[in-house]
Amino acid sequence: MLVDSHCHLEYDSYAAEGDAPIERARAAGVGACVTIGTKLSTFPKTLAVAERYDNVWCSVGSHPDAADEESFTDASQLIAHAQHPKVIGIGETGLDYHYETPSQAAQATNFLVHIDAAQETRLPLIVHTRDAEDDTIAMLEEKMKRAPFTGVLHCFTGTAKLAEAGLRLGLYISASGIITFKNAEPLRDVFREVPMDRLLVETDSPYLAPIPYRGKRNEPSFVTHTAAMLAELKGVSPDEIALRTTDNFFRLFLKAVLT
């Protein structure tokens, strides 16, 4: 089976469909999903989706885009929510300098607090980074010196430098539908070099639908197309990619247990 390691099933675009997206995922061979927290204010909605399904887990965190709206002085709230059995990761968190707001300082403060939570709970850190590679690497390296933590560079779109730094720190690298896009050859080159034992797959749905669905709403069942592209890049079968990325997922997210 495949695991969609990063999606947003609590978003309103899925509400009218009920169980249909999960059923389509199962039919496509996607046996589990993680719906990702993006704000503490909406975490109850995220958790409710995870509680509804045996094969869905969630994370708790605040996206860097929300840093001016939700600021953290310590990790206590994140740590408290992380005690729930369905919460298997911290984030998504990180740095996004693509736009002028939120402020870089506010994002950095929140990012560091999320790392504190990952260190305290021993849950994987789910890292979002865009146009902020040097600062992301520096903060991860500095915090790793103080105490170990695990994690994933989600929806990876960065350079070989960022991938190499993440791998050196013990992080995993997650491929989204972007690797199927026509203009993504430099990104595909990066993924050709990522070791098989450090790869994950995701949709980041409802965003970033892969070819042949680009421009449409994404959903967990579409992760099969990302996996197929990874198989092509690695010169292995889609079944091998499914086996390896699923093994990697459960090795990283130790709290995820299928019943």
Side-chain angles (χ1 to χ4, degrees):
M1 74 172 189
L2 285 162
V3 177
D4 183 357
S5 65
H6 191 115
C7 58
H8 299 282
L9 292 171
E10 74 277 11
Y11 281 21
D12 290 342
S13 59
Y14 297 111
E17 290 197 81
D19 296 337
I22 295 297
E23 292 171 355
R24 287 193 293 267
R26 289 184 192 272
V30 182
C33 305
V34 186
T35 190
I36 300 295
T38 56
K39 292 182 182 179
L40 279 191
S41 62
T42 58
F43 175 69
K45 192 174 180 181
T46 304
L47 180 60
V49 173
E51 289 180 321
R52 194 178 309 145
Y53 303 102
D54 290 341
N55 65 333
V56 176
W57 301 282
C58 71
S59 67
V60 60
S62 192
H63 193 285
D65 285 351
D68 286 341
E69 180 182 343
E70 295 188 342
S71 59
F72 294 81
T73 57
D74 60 58
S76 58
Q77 293 182 82
L78 296 167
I79 292 169
H81 288 306
Q83 305 312 305
H84 193 284
K86 278 286 188 172
V87 177
I88 64 169
I90 302 295
E92 63 187 287
T93 181
L95 304 173
D96 192 325
Y97 296 169
H98 190 69
Y99 302 107
E100 292 184 2
T101 56
S103 73
Q104 294 181 13
Q107 291 184 47
T109 297
N110 280 5
F111 187 26
L112 294 173
V113 169
H114 280 72
I115 298 175
D116 290 341
Q119 291 169 323
E120 176 68 23
T121 63
R122 299 184 180 274
L123 296 180
L125 185 74
I126 300 158
V127 180
H128 169 110
T129 180
R130 182 166 64 157
D131 297 340
E133 288 198 1
D134 289 344
D135 285 354
T136 298
I137 293 169
M139 291 183 192
L140 290 171
E141 287 180 339
E142 181 59 30
K143 294 294 277 187
M144 192 70 77
K145 290 176 185 176
R146 301 181 185 184
F149 58 94
T150 61
V152 55
L153 298 175
H154 111 86
C155 191
F156 188 89
T157 56
T159 64
K161 176 184 176 181
L162 178 61
E164 290 164 3
L167 293 168
R168 185 172 64 250
L169 292 169
L171 305 183
Y172 289 66
I173 311 290
S174 183
S176 72
I178 293 174
I179 68 167
T180 71
F181 293 178
K182 183 178 179 181
N183 63 350
E185 191 58 29
L187 181 61
R188 286 190 283 272
D189 286 341
V190 174
F191 273 98
R192 287 186 178 97
E193 301 302 318
V194 176
M196 287 279 283
D197 64 354
R198 303 288 278 282
L199 285 170
L200 299 179
V201 289
E202 65 172 271
T203 58
D204 203 11
S205 52
Y207 310 111
L208 304 174
I211 301 296
Y213 299 104
R214 190 173 182 183
K216 298 181 180 179
R217 188 203 68 179
N218 203 359
E219 64 176 66
S221 63
F222 295 173
V223 80
T224 55
H225 298 278
T226 299
M229 176 56 73
L230 267 185
E232 181 180 330
L233 296 179
K234 294 297 187 182
V236 299
S237 69
D239 284 348
E240 178 71 8
I241 285 292
L243 176 65
R244 297 297 291 272
T245 58
T246 297
D247 283 349
N248 294 344
F249 172 83
F250 286 107
R251 189 184 314 115
L252 176 61
F253 291 95
L254 294 174
K255 199 174 167 183
V257 178
L258 284 173
T259 58

